[in-house]
Amino acid sequence: MSPPVRVELGARSYDVVIGSGVLDRVASFLASAEICPARILLVRDTGVPEAHAQAITDALRAAGLEAHQTTLDPSERAKSLETAERLLGDTARAGLDRHDAVVALGGGITGDVAGFVASAYRRGVRVVQCPTTLLAMVDASVGGKTGVNLALDDGAERLLKNFVGAFHQPSLVVADVATLASLEPRVLRCGLGECIKHALITGDTDLLDWTTSSLDDALAGDAAVLTELVRKNVAVKARLVARDERETDASGGRALLNLGHTFAHAIETIPSLSPDPEDASLAPLMHGEAVALGLAAATALAVDLGRMTGAERDAVLWLIGRAGLPTSVASLPPSDQVARRMLDDKKTLGGRLRLIVPEGLGRAGVLEGVDAGAVGHAIDAIRGP
Ligand code: GLY
């Protein structure tokens, strides 16, 4: 186990515990953080083996807690107000009061929905995040963004990503890299999209160099390398969240974490897109694949705007490809249609696109009101054959 990463937020500060086999010790981490619920509701992602959930509930029961369990289907469609309502009912049926805690065990969708339920139940109870995907470990479980999607049926069926939510910081995050061993390789690779994103915004190239040289070991499941990968990435996110918790810094701050995401959110809501042009059955794109495409589009935009050289863009595209993630996608709708979907992004201000654009390698900045033609070129740059 590496030393925990602390997210410094005054009275709401918390630790992110990272290591292999740490889930079994969740009760002792709660005790050291002086978190003493009498009851917990464990929200288990149906993709997570029941054995992991059992290990946590057994450990909590052995420590004298009353542990209840419910499940959640980790799909974008199920990331809905209906699911949140069902879980709120489960929380009430489990008898949680304001001193108790919701424990999220699973990927990013599970953490987002369970966190949102915890933010709303009796105006807020604690949430403990136990992420089991690389993507949730390095991104979704840290920083307190919680929420669900909003489906609009107004002729053109639209799924507005994370449109209903709350900032609700966890009280503790326990990232057990042993859980990554049961992940499908495709799901593990998705987390690397967020790691590459972090490496492009830290302010130097150290993380990019380390990620490039450690990628193969991470993909091979080396627990020590995965622990270090999660630690380094959580440290990047913790720093930005501590500086700008609510993403109000117009010059960057937490918003830098949205690099590639406005493109990604537009692309991932198109259900027919597949990461492999030879295999349509892999559609729809997973979030990490859409992020990888969003990073590729953002680097194309950066080259177009003279903020990045072609060689720097090629280095990023090489790394994305090496991680087994797509840099182009077949059957992408016309650019103006994709650009219109980008305007649905909740970070749009007054109908103007606000994009994060790389500046060379390891740095990025905010760009307001980006020219539609440049956005169109960036979308065309990821259009596959
Ligand atoms: N995933 C971006 C953020 O937490 O701000």
Side-chain angles (χ1 to χ4, degrees):
M1 189 179 114
S2 65
V5 178
R6 186 90 177 146
V7 183
E8 295 288 356
L9 288 167
R12 289 173 296 107
S13 298
Y14 54 94
D15 278 343
V16 182
V17 177
I18 305 157
S20 183
V22 287
L23 268 185
D24 295 351
R25 290 158 54 200
V26 68
S28 71
F29 300 134
L30 283 173
S32 343
E34 296 181 5
I35 303 167
C36 314
R39 266 164 238 94
I40 65 105
L41 175 70
L42 182 84
V43 181
R44 175 175 70 90
D45 187 318
T46 50
V48 173
E50 169 65 31
H52 291 320
Q54 202 55 52
I56 298 187
T57 45
D58 287 351
L60 292 172
R61 282 180 185 143
L65 274 79
E66 190 181 307
H68 300 262
Q69 204 190 126
T70 188
T71 55
L72 186 146
D73 158 30
S75 69
E76 290 293 342
R77 284 279 153 199
K79 189 175 178 183
S80 63
L81 281 167
E82 288 77 12
T83 302
E85 187 177 7
R86 174 177 66 78
L87 293 183
L88 283 164
D90 291 339
T91 315
R93 275 184 288 277
L96 268 66
D97 69 26
R98 293 186 71 181
H99 304 291
D100 295 329
V102 172
V103 178
L105 177 69
I109 291 178
T110 303
D112 282 6
V113 181
F116 178 57
V117 166
S119 79
Y121 181 74
R122 294 189 171 201
R123 298 202 182 89
V125 293
R126 288 181 185 279
V127 63
V128 174
Q129 295 282 357
C130 300
T132 60
T133 64
L134 182 59
L135 191 145
M137 288 180 189
V138 299
D139 187 21
S141 64
V142 178
K145 281 190 182 174
T146 72
V148 295
N149 300 329
L150 192 61
L152 287 193
D153 189 7
D154 51 1
E157 203 187 308
R158 288 192 292 160
L159 189 65
L160 303 180
K161 291 261 306 170
N162 303 326
F163 246 61
V164 181
F167 282 98
H168 188 60
Q169 296 293 342
S171 298
L172 173 72
V173 181
V174 182
D176 188 339
V177 299
T179 61
L180 301 178
S182 55
L183 285 185
E184 275 180 49
R186 181 180 179 190
V187 180
L188 181 69
R189 290 197 295 266
C190 277
L192 293 169
E194 300 287 358
C195 296
I196 296 170
K197 174 195 82 178
H198 286 153
L200 292 174
I201 61 171
T202 51
D204 58 43
T205 56
D206 293 357
L207 184 57
L208 194 61
D209 294 341
W210 185 88
T211 307
T212 305
S213 61
S214 309
L215 197 64
D216 290 347
D217 292 333
L219 282 167
D222 182 312
V225 172
L226 285 169
T227 300
E228 191 56 8
L229 179 71
V230 175
R231 193 192 63 74
K232 284 179 181 291
N233 279 275
V234 168
V236 172
K237 180 146 189 189
R239 209 169 51 234
L240 286 168
V241 169
R243 211 172 87 197
D244 180 25
E245 182 186 8
R246 300 235 162 183
E247 211 173 297
T248 48
D249 177 353
S251 67
R254 184 170 185 163
L256 295 179
L257 293 166
N258 299 326
L259 175 62
H261 278 59
T262 304
F263 290 104
H265 286 167
I267 298 165
E268 71 191 313
T269 53
I270 304 170
S272 55
L273 298 182
S274 165
D276 180 350
E278 309 285 308
D279 190 352
S281 73
L282 295 176
L285 295 169
M286 299 184 88
H287 179 63
E289 292 160 348
V291 167
L293 289 162
L295 294 177
T299 55
L301 181 64
V303 172
D304 220 18
L305 299 176
R307 293 174 169 242
M308 193 176 218
T309 66
E312 287 168 338
R313 177 205 49 210
D314 291 347
V316 177
L317 296 185
W318 180 86
L319 188 57
I320 295 171
R322 182 84 188 176
L325 291 164
T327 53
S328 67
V329 63
S331 310
L332 198 60
S335 302
D336 58 331
Q337 278 182 32
V338 178
R340 214 167 310 124
R341 282 173 179 265
M342 287 169 72
L343 286 168
D344 276 344
D345 192 272
K346 65 184 180 312
K347 289 171 285 289
T348 301
L349 290 179
R352 281 156 58 90
L353 273 183
R354 186 166 184 259
L355 294 176
I356 310 302
V357 185
E359 293 168 3
L361 290 175
R363 264 177 223 285
V366 184
L367 218 56
E368 301 272 357
V370 187
D371 171 65
V375 173
H377 285 155
I379 295 166
D380 285 337
I382 57 167
R383 185 180 303 287

